Amino acid sequence: MMPFLEWLESTWLSTTLRDSPNIFLYPTILAFHTLGLAFFVGISSAIALRILGVAPEVPLAPFRKLYPVMWIGFVFNAVSGLLLLIIEPTKFLTMVDFYIKLLAIGGAVYCNRVLYVRRFRNPSAVDPNPLPAGDKALAGLILFLWAASITAGRLTAYDDPYTQWKTAVGTVMVSAVLLAGGYAAVTFWRLVRHGSVS
Amino acid sequence: MEAFLRYWMRWPSVEGLIYKYLWVWGVCQSLHFVGMVLLIGTVGILDLRMLGMARQFPPAALKKLIPWGVFGFVLCLATGLFFVTGIYANINVHPYVVLKSDVFLQIKFVFIVLAGLNLLAFYATGMSRAVDRLAAGEDAPPLAKFFAGASLFFWIAVMYFARLIPSGKFQP
């Protein structure tokens, strides 16, 4: 495996991208990776939140038209991600965290596809009330997998597993506190506003 | 003025937090991304609708998602403030020096301000109310489309220049 990765790192494409004197080249590839993420994960998360019960006034069916934007975002990410990988294959492909990131993204993409087929393919039955519990579980899973992808992606910036592990644990703790705090705040607000939790 | 800024920009408790806990910086970076996702996933969808995509959305309904975008922006603002006030603990450069000499960070701030002014103009010109009256399938007025296009352009520019910040020069 390692000789192959070293060969990959010595190819023309890898050395050109890595050693380019142009300071804009590498950040521009990174920026495309970020822009693709913003639109793909952004729209996907909005759909997931809506399915979980946020903003029920928003009709579900028109989201179908935004799937092409999501998939274009995904192509941006796949291409820029491959270029970033070719720059440092011996770093990324020997890192457990990187494989976790790939698994989380693969899972999220697969779940988005399943949700599309289940929910959006039949235009006459996009938005039944209530939505099936299975779709809500899928939406929750999508949000979890995106959070895992973003965290694992951030962690690839560190090269020692100890810092990665500490940061992963810290992320889980802070997320739990934020989610619990948010849930408590929303419950309290509903109690004050409507006099009941439902 | 410089002494004043130099004193107030370094926040000892933020620096202390970064020195003490290895994971704080990385967690804030992830939250910065989550905020960005929420902002683009709500404001971005409304912009695309005004530009004519997914026209079956009534814009007034889409605005119910905007509080999540505002929450995302606050998350970005809080973590961004954390990066600026605590940067000394990360790269041993004073935040005053970074803000004064990193042209990409300055451009990013300019685009954030432009996005804010664009939002103000969207409300001040009555376009926000005009868009609220649109039913499913109706086209937005040209001026609303202009604000929507500008909003997308400014936020994309913010993300692009953010990625260039580490390539900026930090000259004391």
Side-chain angles (χ1 to χ4, degrees), chain A:
Chain A
M1 187 71 177
M2 207 56 188
F4 170 71
L5 299 183
E6 279 163 3
W7 167 79
L8 200 59
E9 209 160 276
S10 68
T11 55
W12 171 82
L13 186 60
S14 181
T15 50
T16 307
L17 293 174
R18 195 169 51 245
D19 304 331
S20 168
N22 185 343
I23 61 154
F24 290 94
L25 185 63
Y26 180 75
T28 300
I29 301 173
L30 261 184
F32 272 93
H33 209 59
T34 309
L35 290 172
L37 181 156
F39 282 91
F40 187 14
V41 181
I43 295 172
S44 167
S45 303
I47 296 172
L49 286 171
R50 165 62 180 77
I51 285 177
L52 284 171
V54 168
E57 303 88 344
V58 180
L60 205 49
F63 278 113
R64 185 173 203 245
K65 301 274 189 196
L66 295 177
Y67 273 81
V69 182
M70 277 169 55
W71 295 124
I72 289 169
F74 180 58
V75 170
F76 268 43
N77 272 34
V79 173
S80 56
L82 263 172
L83 291 176
L84 292 169
L85 179 61
I86 286 169
I87 293 174
E88 294 172 288
T90 55
K91 176 190 172 187
F92 290 120
L93 291 173
T94 53
M95 191 188 271
V96 175
D97 171 59
F98 185 72
Y99 291 96
I100 296 174
K101 170 179 167 165
L102 287 187
L103 273 178
I105 294 170
V109 169
Y110 178 74
C111 288
N112 268 294
R113 179 73 197 149
V114 172
L115 189 68
Y116 177 81
V117 171
R118 280 176 66 120
R119 208 56 287 142
F120 294 96
R121 193 166 259 178
N122 178 5
S124 63
V126 172
D127 202 359
N129 190 20
L131 283 158
D135 290 6
K136 294 200 174 203
L138 207 52
L141 187 59
I142 286 173
L143 289 178
F144 169 76
L145 288 170
W146 283 138
S149 313
I150 288 177
T151 306
R154 282 309 319 154
L155 295 185
T156 57
Y158 303 109
D159 35 29
D160 72 305
Y162 179 73
T163 310
Q164 290 180 333
W165 175 246
K166 282 281 186 186
T167 311
V169 173
T171 305
V172 171
M173 289 188 323
V174 172
S175 306
V177 169
L178 283 179
L179 284 176
Y183 185 77
V186 169
T187 308
F188 180 72
W189 187 76
R190 282 189 179 152
L191 212 63
V192 171
R193 180 106 189 243
H194 307 295
S196 76
V197 183
S198 58

Side-chain angles (χ1 to χ4, degrees), chain A residues 23-24 27-28 30-31 34-35 37-39 41-43 45-46 49 54-55 57-59 62-63 65-66 69 150-151 154 158 162-163 166-167 170-171 173-174 178, chain B residues 22-23 25-27 29-31 33-34 36-38 40-42 44-45 48 53-54 56-58 61-62 64-65 68 75 104 152 155-156 159-160 163-164 167 169:
Chain A
I23 61 154
F24 290 94
T28 300
L30 261 184
T34 309
L35 290 172
L37 181 156
F39 282 91
V41 181
I43 295 172
S45 303
L49 286 171
V54 168
E57 303 88 344
V58 180
F63 278 113
K65 301 274 189 196
L66 295 177
V69 182
I150 288 177
T151 306
R154 282 309 319 154
Y158 303 109
Y162 179 73
T163 310
K166 282 281 186 186
T167 311
T171 305
M173 289 188 323
V174 172
L178 283 179
Chain B
L22 203 54
W23 48 268
W25 190 272
V27 170
Q29 281 192 317
S30 290
L31 290 177
F33 273 80
V34 170
M36 172 189 89
V37 161
L38 288 174
I40 299 298
T42 54
I45 290 178
L48 289 173
M53 199 175 270
Q56 291 306 313
F57 280 127
L62 274 184
K64 302 280 179 190
L65 283 171
W68 288 76
L75 208 54
F104 301 125
L152 280 178
W155 288 120
I156 286 171
M159 291 186 272
Y160 180 73
R163 276 310 199 180
L164 283 168
S167 313
K169 299 259 184 299

Side-chain angles (χ1 to χ4, degrees), chain B residues 64-79:
Chain B
K64 302 280 179 190
L65 283 171
I66 296 297
W68 288 76
V70 173
F71 171 68
F73 181 74
V74 170
L75 208 54
C76 283
L77 203 65
T79 47

